[in-house]
């Protein structure tokens, strides 16, 4: 039994456990969500003139807006819309970059239900135009992030649509993807992972 | 004096005038806003495998969300955020495309206050990475749309920051930009305008 004096609800140890449950990546105790880690990385890329990659805003259907006197407009009724594209895109050394970031609590596979069909279709179109498309997968309990190129993702997606398994095994992701190590700056250097891939293919 | 029987507030002629006031482009009476014309064009590009270009969702700061039983989440309080990038981006024949679309009711110039500094800075970064950046300007009363390459836009922006005029003269836009004719399909073939520009430079 643990007492919580002074209104404190958690000990430090509890907090860390809680954070892990909520998929925080622990970079030497610098707790941060997967999305925050990507945002920090993109910010690093921009400020260091490496690439210009942004997260798209969450698509929202706005129904009602109030314009109170002397203050800014307030959206009073709106609904979340299903995104028709991936969440991130931009440019890196002249190449168009387009990717989706997903996380799973699973320890042995990534469930494909995390991705929408129209996101696959979108990446397919972008890849055909010559863009670099991929998936970043965060296995939150393993504290591992992988970059899976779209060409491989689409193989597993097709396997599912043809009646095969509805997930990608971690072993498959380890084989086909690139592990992105946690670093201090940038947090998740996924573009370095892309370079690595290019070199190994040459 | 005009009477409005049956609760009708406008005659057909009035409506057309109203639409023009609200910047509708009249494509042989197919009334459509500038933004709708761009959306239709982008849809045409995607379905014809020409390019993959999307408008980014309006950035919104979500403050309060309700989850009513048996219905979808309702956003009850949210605020518009200033966009940190341009509104449109995507890929065309391997090239990253990034642009902003603006309209003006002015007949002789485009006021630069329509563009934010961070949008200029964003396009500068993207151009340095090898992206194709430009501004689409709709002169609503003239019913003319021009594509102005970022390299020229940045010249006029600099002129303003150095104490010069706060707008771009229509004559300057006619000189430096490319007129995009209204067509049936696609409505505003701005990528064709880009091709034209490339050819004239070769």
């Amino acid at each position: 039994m643990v007492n919580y004096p002074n209104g404190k609800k958690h000990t430090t140890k509890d907090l860390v456990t809680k954070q892990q449950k909520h998929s925080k990546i622990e970079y030497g105790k610098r707790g941060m969500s997967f999305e925050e880690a990507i945002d920090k990385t993109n910010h690093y890329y921009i400020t260091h003139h490496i690439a210009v990659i942004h997260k798209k805003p969450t698509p929202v259907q706005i129904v009602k807006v109030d314009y109170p006197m002397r203050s800014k407009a307030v959206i009073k009724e709106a609904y979340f819309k299903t995104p028709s594209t991936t969440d991130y895109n931009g440019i890196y050394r002249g190449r168009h970059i387009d990717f989706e970031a997903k996380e799973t609590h699973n320890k042995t596979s990534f469930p494909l239900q995390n991705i929408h069909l129209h996101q696959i279709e979108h990446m397919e179109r972008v890849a055909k135009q010559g863009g670099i498309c991929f998936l970043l997968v965060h296995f939150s309990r393993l504290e591992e992030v992988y970059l899976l190129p779209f060409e491989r993702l689409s193989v597993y997606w097709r396997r599912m649509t043809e009646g095969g398994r509805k997930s990608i095994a971690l072993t498959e992701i380890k084989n086909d993807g690139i592990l992105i190590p946690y670093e201090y700056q940038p947090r998740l250097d996924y573009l370095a992972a892309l370079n690595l891939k290019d070199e190994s293919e040459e």
Side-chain angles (χ1 to χ4, degrees), chain A residues 40-52 185-186:
Chain A
K40 287 260 181 197
T41 302
N42 289 341
H43 183 72
Y44 180 92
Y45 288 152
I46 286 178
T47 52
H48 290 74
H49 312 289
I50 294 167
V52 185
Q185 272 192 329

Side-chain angles (χ1 to χ4, degrees), chain A residues 93-107:
Chain A
R93 295 186 188 171
R95 300 296 300 271
H96 182 83
I97 302 288
D98 194 297
F99 68 96
E100 186 62 30
K102 293 289 181 193
E103 58 188 342
T104 179
H105 294 277
N106 284 21
K107 283 180 173 176

Side-chain angles (χ1 to χ4, degrees), chain A residues 81-95:
Chain A
K81 288 198 294 188
T82 311
S84 53
T85 67
T86 48
D87 269 1
Y88 299 88
N89 79 359
I91 184 167
Y92 169 53
R93 295 186 188 171
R95 300 296 300 271

Side-chain angles (χ1 to χ4, degrees), chain A residues 7 17 20 28 37 44 46 48 73 77 121 129 131 136 145-146 163 167 169 188:
Chain A
T17 315
Q20 282 167 348
Y44 180 92
I46 286 178
H48 290 74
E77 186 185 350
E121 289 169 343
Q129 287 286 334
L136 287 186
V145 176
Y146 291 90
S167 63
L188 275 177

Side-chain angles (χ1 to χ4, degrees), chain A residues 143-190:
Chain A
E143 298 195 359
E144 286 178 351
V145 176
Y146 291 90
L147 182 153
L148 184 67
F150 174 69
E151 305 82 64
R152 299 308 303 160
L153 170 62
S154 66
V155 167
Y156 296 117
W157 185 271
R158 205 178 318 126
R159 178 174 69 185
M160 177 182 70
T161 60
E162 288 170 356
R165 62 180 291 176
K166 292 182 172 60
S167 63
I168 313 176
L170 176 60
T171 51
E172 292 170 332
I173 290 177
K174 279 181 192 283
N175 263 330
D176 294 354
I178 300 135
L179 178 69
I180 301 173
Y182 302 152
E183 284 164 28
Y184 181 62
Q185 272 192 329
R187 306 291 190 189
L188 275 177
D189 195 358
Y190 60 87

